[in-house]
Amino acid sequence: MNLALLGFATIAAFITLIMTKRLSAIVALIAIPIIAGLLVPGRPDLGGMIVEGILQVAPIALLLSFAILFFGIMMDAGLFDPLVRRILHLVGNDPLRIAIGTAALSALVSVDGDGTTTALIVITALLPVYRSIGMNPLILATLLGSTNAIMNFVPWGGPAARAAAALKIDLLSDLFLPLLPAMAAGLLAAFGLAWWFGVTERRRLGWQPAQMQHGAAVEHETPPERRPHLFWPNLLLTLALMAAMFTGIASLPVLMMGAFAIAVTLNYPSLQVQRERINAHANNVVMVALLIFAAGSLTGIMEGTGMLDAMAQALVRGIPDAMGPYLAPVTAVLSLPITFLMSNDAYYFGIVPVLAEAATNFGIPPEAIGRASMMGQPIHQLSPLLAPVYLACGLLGVEVADVQRFALKYAALISLVLTLGAILTGAIPLAVS
């Protein structure tokens, strides 16, 4: 059997089944490649291939599992509460300050890499302010999605983790660090967009500086798991973790595991309360870990049977020689529409490995394709396949279609700024010689 044809059929079946919701992503990642592997002549050792693939992605699964727990503990303890209160006090009733405050709060809270948590915190805090002065809630949705997408480039964010798992590259050095200048450019564009929104809302609402009032915040109940007296120790622990990650004094999974152990003991010494806090985040941990291990199963079989290499060779033969050296920026541009129409699982585990394997034939390293594949994330934030979109729209009381019509052009602009920034700083090579 033609390995390339079998490989493309495997990917097509995987994408179709999860897009039509016939199978969950986890089941599809496991079952489809096993079925395909059984069709490969020569009775390949599928078990060995699966184990090999899982071993390669195990560090990523460890990192994400303990990152979810660590940042979950920080959220539970209220690390971001003073920041939220301060921003709400500063923005007052000025549309310009509110728009910029929305971008700032969204970017800072998004550091945990969880779009759902970010949406809950930002919308709960700021929607009453928007309503009190009559600002357009679609602005809140747009700024929230754009800044969250950029901050999700962090090593424990979904896109970066999936790209690293699919391509078996290092999260920190191969993906995240080279993208920092592009992220800065994207955040600058997001804050510029917030400024423009604020100016237009000032004009529409007829707001004048003489109307400025501070402290537009709405008081919320304090959950029992909050630990406000431990704010400074929690902040120092988080900053120390970030510094340790960037200096590379230990591997990322080890650092995150250690930070979690300190955080949960510091904030919740009682073993019963520790179990409650871990249980509160256990669902997210299990789902992410299973997804990464299942992805290792797919890539292990696709590589071990030779299907991935055969697919790449077939793709290379179909790419004009003149276009091959530009495959990295082409991938970046294609990521805009593809990530809107596909789930991250289907895209990163089904499409990106094939593009990366093909790119190696033109001298483009896999990590360059991995970075390029992330450029469409601001567009992906508006995908109808993304659960946080429905959560955010439900909290805002608006229709998903209205948010998409309003925000899509701005998300595309942010994606193009990210791409241009990555190209200018060398994170994405414009062409290889």
Side-chain angles (χ1 to χ4, degrees):
M1 177 176 288
N2 186 295
L3 283 179
L5 182 61
L6 179 60
F8 285 119
T10 302
I11 297 301
F14 163 67
I15 293 172
T16 302
L17 288 169
I18 67 171
M19 296 290 285
T20 58
K21 299 184 178 180
R22 302 290 179 87
L23 291 178
S24 69
I26 293 172
V27 173
L29 283 167
I30 297 170
I32 302 304
I34 288 177
I35 294 172
L38 292 174
L39 299 176
V40 175
R43 299 176 62 86
D45 179 16
L46 297 184
M49 295 174 190
I50 291 173
V51 170
E52 179 65 25
I54 290 174
L55 288 175
Q56 290 181 351
V57 301
I60 297 173
L62 273 176
L63 168 65
L64 293 181
S65 297
F66 284 96
I68 291 170
L69 290 173
F70 174 80
F71 286 107
I73 293 297
M74 290 295 105
M75 291 290 183
D76 292 343
L79 175 62
F80 296 98
D81 287 356
L83 173 67
V84 172
R85 288 194 295 268
R86 183 61 180 166
I87 289 178
L88 287 175
H89 175 76
L90 290 174
V91 301
N93 64 345
D94 180 358
L96 177 57
R97 293 191 183 194
I98 292 171
I100 294 176
T102 301
L105 183 60
S106 300
L108 290 167
V109 178
S110 293
V111 74
D112 74 334
D114 182 6
T116 300
T117 302
T118 302
L120 284 170
I121 293 175
V122 174
I123 293 175
T124 302
L126 288 173
L127 184 58
V129 182
Y130 272 71
R131 285 176 173 166
S132 68
I133 68 169
M135 280 185 70
N136 186 353
L138 297 179
I139 292 174
L140 173 52
T142 302
L143 295 174
L144 170 63
S146 296
T147 51
N148 181 249
I150 297 168
M151 293 305 295
N152 262 354
F153 284 13
V154 295
W156 50 88
R162 285 172 172 82
L167 301 179
K168 297 181 176 62
I169 55 180
D170 185 76
L171 262 170
L172 187 65
S173 61
D174 289 341
L175 277 183
F176 178 62
L177 292 180
L179 283 176
L180 279 175
M183 288 178 63
L187 286 174
L188 185 62
F191 277 93
L193 181 62
W195 176 85
W196 185 78
F197 279 145
V199 169
T200 55
E201 286 293 276
R202 271 184 172 182
R203 188 180 305 119
R204 183 180 70 85
L205 298 170
W207 189 91
Q208 298 295 327
Q211 300 172 252
M212 181 63 186
Q213 296 176 359
H214 287 284
V218 178
E219 293 296 328
H220 301 281
E221 293 184 6
T222 302
E225 64 268 18
R226 291 293 192 264
R227 298 293 186 267
H229 61 287
L230 294 174
F231 170 77
W232 288 110
N234 283 328
L235 179 61
L236 290 174
L237 175 60
T238 304
L239 293 176
L241 172 62
M242 298 297 176
M245 291 174 64
F246 287 121
T247 55
I249 62 174
S251 65
L252 294 183
V254 170
L255 290 173
M256 198 62 74
M257 291 168 69
F260 162 73
I262 297 172
V264 73
T265 305
L266 173 68
N267 289 279
Y268 308 105
S270 166
L271 296 183
Q272 176 61 32
V273 179
Q274 284 185 17
R275 283 193 290 268
E276 292 174 358
R277 291 298 91 215
I278 292 172
N279 287 340
H281 305 285
N283 184 60
N284 287 338
V285 172
V286 171
M287 292 303 295
V288 168
L290 290 178
L291 178 65
I292 297 301
F293 286 135
S297 170
L298 179 141
T299 55
I301 291 176
M302 296 292 288
E303 287 187 354
T305 58
M307 281 189 282
L308 187 59
D309 184 63
M311 293 164 66
Q313 294 299 326
L315 188 61
V316 167
R317 288 193 293 270
I319 297 175
D321 291 339
M323 184 184 293
Y326 301 94
L327 199 52
V330 168
T331 299
V333 174
L334 288 177
S335 72
L336 274 67
I338 291 176
T339 54
F340 181 78
L341 298 172
M342 297 179 67
S343 69
N344 270 340
D345 298 325
Y347 176 56
Y348 284 106
F349 299 131
I351 303 297
V352 173
V354 180
L355 290 173
E357 190 70 20
T360 58
N361 291 274
F362 297 99
I364 302 172
E367 53 267 27
I369 297 298
R371 298 178 208 126
S373 70
M374 297 166 64
M375 297 297 103
Q377 283 304 305
I379 295 284
H380 179 70
Q381 291 289 323
L382 299 171
S383 170
L385 303 172
L386 199 63
V389 170
Y390 298 97
L391 170 65
C393 291
L395 293 172
L396 292 169
V398 296
E399 296 295 329
V400 173
D402 292 335
V403 172
Q404 290 172 334
R405 280 193 293 268
F406 180 85
L408 200 55
K409 55 184 175 293
Y410 302 116
L413 176 63
I414 299 294
S415 289
L416 292 175
V417 169
L418 281 169
T419 302
L420 182 60
I423 291 174
L424 291 177
T425 57
I428 299 175
L430 180 60
V432 292
S433 56

